[in-house]
């Protein structure tokens, strides 16, 4: 039997934009996803946009029933910034207050612990128009949003997160064009990363000053960089990839300072952001209480043997290249490698190098296309998803036996939801959602998850 502690969190995560629907009504103003869909709908799989999601805005009560039916003792979502504060005047939208209170209460009434995150890739458009995270003013606006959310909803919230995967809006928004504003501007990317970290630390400071008694953390996609070989060039490539993609938020959030080697590279490349000594003090003095770790796939790297032109646009790939390892196990629908042992490696890294900080798996899951193929007697028999969870849980349990301080396992996701540019291509849910009829049906994995959560483990 693979067994977890009695108080282990079993649950799932989603985000406001991916699950609420009601994108342009009840006082919500557009965020960058609503806007991007409006101007370039063809970029989104089958032209399905952020209004067509699993409809929590209307169905939260029914969804709370399904959370209970699938054994959840915890659930994470985010508060939509552009729903709560729809305009530059900073005024709170009363309809949003009522919605979130009722929604959160319906979850709490089921005895489910609520984890709330403040930012999940969803910058309000009116703030993107003044520069988004590149503009310092947005840091202050974000802190105000967090404080207002705390004042309005704290009675329902058990745990807080400042950001979900902050490296993603940096990389996708300002280097690789997978998120709006689709810029390629490394200098701005570094400023955005710094301002985001400052926003996270400043929110922690402000909430603690307001008397926050609950734990607050940050969710990071800690994808270890595995070098192709033991050759020192490959090893160096791995170290540098880790600096950019793991340590850039992990170190300041948990240890209170940026890694020196990262700062050296940023300086050498002429990409240093604007900041003050006071900013660094805020980061140093306001560290997270715990971490959420999203894990889907490892990052495999090798040396970059090519020379960059002197005036080439900077990319982290100057220092390493992605390595397509032959024979790797892959989820073909998402194109992501499946490598459960990385969860063990993450756990040991946090134990040994990050003061054994408490953490939980805050996302792990498998998106699969056309799950209708697997339907038998009306139910989707998603054994692949059950195997995926078991494979990761085995490694998690092994790490915990060796002292890792993990407190829970939350999957992505509870009910099929909207996956950004992939829209509804790949389905991740424990519960199936029929976009046309709105009907929900628990998949085989949902029943497995219920047993897992109730027994705090599974027979192996
Ligand atoms: C994470 C995000 C989620 C979710 C998930 C699955 O990085 O935090 O928002 O979307 O990945 O990825 P996708 O939906 O792109 O398949």
């Amino acid at each position: 039997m693979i067994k977890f502690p009695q108080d282990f969190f079993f649950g799932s995560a989603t985000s406001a934009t991916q699950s609420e629907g009601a994108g342009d009504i009840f006082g919500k103003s557009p965020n960058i996803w609503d806007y991007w869909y409006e101007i370039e709908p063809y970029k989104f799989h089958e032209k399905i946009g952020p209004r067509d999601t699993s409809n929590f805005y209307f169905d939260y009560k029914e969804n709370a029933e399904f959370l209970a039916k699938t054994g959840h003792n915890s659930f994470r979502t985010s508060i939509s910034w552009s729903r709560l504060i729809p305009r530059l005047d900073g005024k709170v939208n009363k309809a949003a207050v009522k919605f979130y209170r009722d929604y959160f209460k319906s979850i709490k009434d089921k005895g489910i612990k609520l984890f709330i995150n403040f930012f999940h890739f969803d910058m309000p458009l009116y703030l993107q128009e003044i520069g988004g995270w590149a503009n310092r003013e947005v840091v202050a606006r974000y802190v105000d949003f967090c404080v207002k959310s705390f004042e309005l909803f704290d009675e329902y919230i058990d745990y807080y997160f400042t950001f979900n995967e902050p490296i993603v809006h940096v990389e996708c928004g300002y280097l690789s064009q997978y998120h709006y504003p689709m810029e390629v501007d490394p200098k701005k990317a570094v400023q955005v990363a710094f301002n985001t970290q400052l926003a996270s630390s400043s929110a922690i400071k402000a909430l603690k000053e307001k008397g926050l008694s609950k734990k607050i953390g940050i969710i990071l996609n800690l994808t270890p960089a595995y070098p192709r070989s033991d050759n020192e060039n490959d090893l160096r490539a791995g170290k540098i990839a880790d600096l950019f993609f793991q340590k850039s938020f992990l170190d300041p959030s948990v240890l209170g300072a940026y890694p020196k080697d990262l700062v050296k590279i940023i300086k050498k490349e002429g990409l240093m952001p604007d900041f003050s000594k006071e900013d660094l003090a805020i980061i140093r003095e306001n560290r997270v209480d715990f971490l959420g770790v999203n894990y889907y796939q490892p990052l495999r790297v090798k040396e970059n043997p090519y020379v960059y032109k002197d005036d080439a646009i900077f990319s982290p790939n100057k220092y390493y290249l992605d390595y397509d390892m032959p024979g790797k196990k892959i989820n073909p629908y998402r194109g992501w490698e499946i490598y459960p042992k990385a969860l063990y490696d993450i756990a040991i890294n946090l134990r040994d190098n990050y003061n054994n900080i408490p953490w939980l798996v805050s996302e792990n899951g498998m998106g699969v296309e056309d799950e209708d193929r697997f339907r038998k007697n009306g139910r989707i028999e998603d054994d692949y998803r059950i195997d995926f969870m078991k494979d990761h849980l085995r490694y998690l349990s092994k790490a915990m036996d060796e002292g890792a301080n993990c407190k829970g396992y939350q999957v992505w996701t509870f009910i099929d939801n909207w996956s950004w540019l992939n829209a509804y291509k790949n389905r991740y849910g424990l519960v199936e959602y029929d976009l046309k009829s709105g009907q929900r049906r628990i998949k085989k994995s949902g029943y497995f998850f219920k047993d897992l959560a109730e027994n705090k483990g599974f027979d192996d």
Side-chain angles (χ1 to χ4, degrees):
M1 176 117 194
I2 299 288
K3 201 77 181 147
F4 294 91
Q6 273 310 310
D7 58 354
F8 207 62
F9 292 115
F10 282 103
S12 66
T14 187
S15 78
T17 305
Q18 293 176 274
S19 62
E20 286 176 7
D24 55 355
I25 45 180
F26 304 109
K28 179 176 169 297
S29 73
N31 62 32
I32 52 175
W33 294 94
D34 301 302
Y35 178 68
W36 198 15
Y37 179 70
E38 194 185 306
I39 56 171
E40 295 187 305
Y42 49 85
K43 290 213 160 158
F44 295 77
H45 184 72
E46 292 179 344
K47 292 195 190 159
I48 297 177
R51 255 182 311 187
D52 300 312
T53 69
S54 44
N55 248 355
F56 269 75
Y57 196 94
F58 303 100
D59 298 341
Y60 56 83
K61 282 198 181 122
E62 202 178 340
N63 282 336
E65 297 289 336
F66 276 84
L67 285 173
K69 281 187 205 163
T70 45
H72 282 65
N73 66 14
S74 57
F75 176 68
R76 187 240 303 182
T77 189
S78 61
I79 296 172
S80 161
W81 191 351
S82 70
R83 188 184 297 289
L84 190 69
I85 305 181
R87 281 175 305 275
L88 212 49
D89 63 17
K91 285 195 187 131
V92 163
N93 168 14
K94 288 202 178 110
V97 176
K98 180 168 172 14
F99 162 62
Y100 283 118
R101 282 177 166 272
D102 292 349
Y103 172 15
F104 295 168
K105 184 169 181 306
S106 73
I107 288 168
K108 297 297 301 172
D109 285 349
K110 296 280 173 209
I112 295 170
K113 297 276 184 218
L114 187 60
F115 288 64
I116 287 298
N117 169 38
F118 291 121
F119 189 85
H120 198 125
F121 313 158
D122 55 347
M123 179 62 73
L125 182 63
Y126 67 88
L127 293 176
Q128 191 63 46
E129 284 170 347
I130 61 165
W133 288 118
N135 180 350
R136 272 294 286 247
E137 190 192 328
V138 172
V139 175
R141 297 259 175 184
Y142 168 82
V143 173
D144 177 61
F145 160 59
C146 296
V147 167
K148 284 190 172 127
S149 300
F150 165 72
E151 287 167 352
L152 290 162
F153 310 121
D154 184 57
E155 63 184 290
Y156 306 109
I157 300 173
D158 296 288
Y159 295 90
Y160 289 86
F161 287 119
T162 55
F163 282 85
N164 176 77
E165 300 187 353
I167 193 71
V168 170
H169 66 253
V170 176
E171 188 195 2
C172 294
Y174 297 90
L175 293 175
S176 66
Q177 300 186 301
Y178 283 106
H179 285 192
Y180 192 80
M182 292 185 303
E183 291 180 26
V184 180
D185 187 338
K187 179 112 172 98
K188 203 187 255 188
V190 174
Q191 188 71 58
V192 163
F194 182 80
N195 287 354
T196 300
Q197 179 62 52
L198 182 64
S200 175
S201 308
S202 304
I204 294 172
K205 179 173 191 284
L207 293 184
K208 294 213 162 157
E209 280 167 7
K210 287 269 161 196
L212 177 78
S213 57
K214 325 248 171 92
K215 300 251 183 284
I216 182 160
I218 189 166
I219 301 154
L220 301 176
N221 46 325
L222 294 183
T223 305
Y226 293 96
R228 170 180 58 179
S229 74
D230 286 345
N231 180 290
E232 68 181 74
N233 289 6
D234 283 345
L235 294 178
R236 194 178 322 114
K239 280 207 173 110
I240 297 184
D242 268 346
L243 288 176
F244 281 112
F245 291 100
Q246 287 211 71
K247 295 177 181 241
S248 52
F249 284 97
L250 182 59
D251 283 29
S253 294
V254 177
L255 305 176
Y258 282 99
K260 288 199 174 75
D261 288 347
L262 178 62
V263 177
K264 238 190 246 167
I265 295 176
I266 297 293
K267 258 193 196 149
K268 186 173 133 209
E269 297 294 343
L271 299 172
M272 281 300 273
D274 292 334
F275 67 96
S276 67
K277 271 195 184 151
E278 291 73 35
D279 295 342
L280 296 186
I282 290 176
I283 292 172
R284 192 171 55 244
E285 285 155 21
N286 298 281
R287 306 181 198 180
V288 291
D289 300 317
F290 73 116
L291 276 179
V293 174
N294 293 354
Y295 174 68
Y296 293 90
Q297 55 163 345
L299 173 64
R300 297 208 182 262
V301 300
K302 60 183 179 187
E303 69 163 334
N304 177 7
Y306 308 109
V307 179
Y308 260 51
K309 287 192 300 166
D310 281 347
D311 62 348
I313 301 173
F314 172 82
S315 154
N317 286 131
K318 181 170 175 181
Y319 292 93
Y320 73 88
L321 294 181
D322 293 321
Y323 172 53
D324 188 5
M325 186 178 77
K328 66 189 177 192
K329 188 176 175 190
I330 195 160
N331 167 5
Y333 314 102
R334 190 60 178 84
W336 285 347
E337 181 179 346
I338 299 177
Y339 185 62
K341 179 175 176 287
L343 207 46
Y344 171 84
D345 294 337
I346 292 170
I348 299 304
N349 180 33
L350 294 177
R351 183 194 71 185
D352 294 347
N353 301 314
Y354 293 90
N355 309 326
N356 209 11
I357 185 170
W359 63 283
L360 79 161
V361 176
S362 44
E363 284 183 32
N364 180 234
M366 190 178 176
V368 172
E369 206 166 343
D370 188 17
E371 288 198 300
D372 216 30
R373 296 175 275 164
F374 305 108
R375 193 182 301 283
K376 276 192 204 122
N377 302 321
R379 182 173 89 173
I380 291 174
E381 304 283 301
D382 52 347
D383 292 281
Y384 42 87
R385 184 166 287 114
I386 297 172
D387 290 343
F388 181 96
M389 289 191 269
K390 282 183 175 173
D391 290 346
H392 285 82
L393 287 166
R394 277 189 205 100
Y395 273 110
L396 190 60
S397 160
K398 176 173 155 56
M400 290 172 67
D401 287 345
E402 295 174 28
N405 199 4
C406 181
K407 302 293 183 195
Y409 178 76
Q410 297 178 334
V411 293
W412 188 270
T413 181
F414 152 62
I415 187 166
D416 294 338
N417 68 17
W418 185 77
S419 273
W420 315 110
L421 293 182
N422 277 331
Y424 273 88
K425 175 177 169 291
N426 305 315
R427 306 294 182 106
Y428 283 87
L430 301 172
V431 177
E432 172 193 2
Y433 183 67
D434 184 325
L435 254 189
K436 287 199 188 105
S437 67
Q439 202 188 348
R440 295 154 178 72
R441 277 189 224 115
I442 300 178
K443 300 178 195 175
K444 187 174 176 183
S445 61
Y447 291 101
F448 164 78
F449 197 78
K450 180 172 194 284
D451 289 344
L452 170 73
E454 284 175 2
N455 301 325
K456 308 287 175 206
F458 62 93
D459 278 322
D460 207 18

